[in-house]
């Protein structure tokens, strides 16, 4: 699952983190699980998490002995919403020129 469209106008790493968190919204993710899901080094992921937390797009909670990160409810799309895929550059050009 992907984050809502209105939250996708961000740096690629932030969008990747949000998408990973939305996929595991119910159970949350640790920083190490995010590292496995997102193709970036830990420092880059931590910068993205900091930016997302500053804008209240993620929620951090301590559960048992683990720190779990969740996407904020407003980032998670409603299951009944139609998920619109972003068109690739090729698809946009094809539509633009009627090919």
């Amino acid at each position: 699952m992907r984050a809502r469209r209105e939250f996708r106008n961000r740096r690629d790493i932030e969008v990747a983190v949000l998408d990973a968190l939305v996929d595991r919204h119910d159970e949350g993710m640790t920083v190490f699980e995010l590292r496995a899901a997102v193709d970036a080094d830990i420092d880059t992921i931590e910068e993205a998490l900091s930016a997302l937390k500053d804008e209240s797009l993620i929620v951090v909670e301590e559960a048992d002995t683990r720190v779990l990160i969740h996407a904020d409810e407003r980032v998670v799309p409603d299951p009944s919403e139609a998920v619109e895929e972003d068109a690739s550059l090729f698809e946009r050009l094809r539509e633009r020129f009627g090919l």
Side-chain angles (χ1 to χ4, degrees):
M1 190 181 310
R2 295 169 34 142
R4 285 186 167 172
R5 180 179 281 292
E6 58 263 30
F7 299 105
R8 303 189 68 74
N9 189 17
R10 322 184 62 72
R11 290 182 16 207
D12 289 344
I13 183 65
E14 293 174 15
V15 172
V17 168
L18 281 176
D19 286 346
L21 291 171
V22 166
D23 276 342
R24 301 250 323 258
H25 177 67
D26 291 334
E27 58 269 4
M29 298 179 86
T30 65
V31 173
F32 295 112
E33 291 170 329
L34 270 172
R35 171 63 184 96
V38 176
D39 187 27
D41 61 76
I42 196 75
D43 293 329
T44 305
I45 291 171
E46 286 181 356
E47 287 175 19
L49 288 171
S50 178
L52 294 169
K53 184 157 176 54
D54 288 345
E55 294 185 33
S56 301
L57 297 178
I58 61 172
V59 178
V60 180
E61 67 178 32
E62 191 169 334
D64 299 319
T65 59
R66 300 176 358 156
V67 174
L68 295 176
I69 305 162
H70 299 269
D72 188 73
E73 289 293 327
R74 62 193 166 116
V75 178
V76 180
D78 183 15
S80 65
E81 287 180 26
V83 177
E84 186 177 314
E85 294 293 325
D86 292 335
S88 70
L89 175 61
F90 178 72
E91 290 169 341
R92 289 183 290 192
L93 286 173
R94 187 173 58 190
E95 287 175 12
R96 171 89 176 166
F97 294 111
L99 300 174

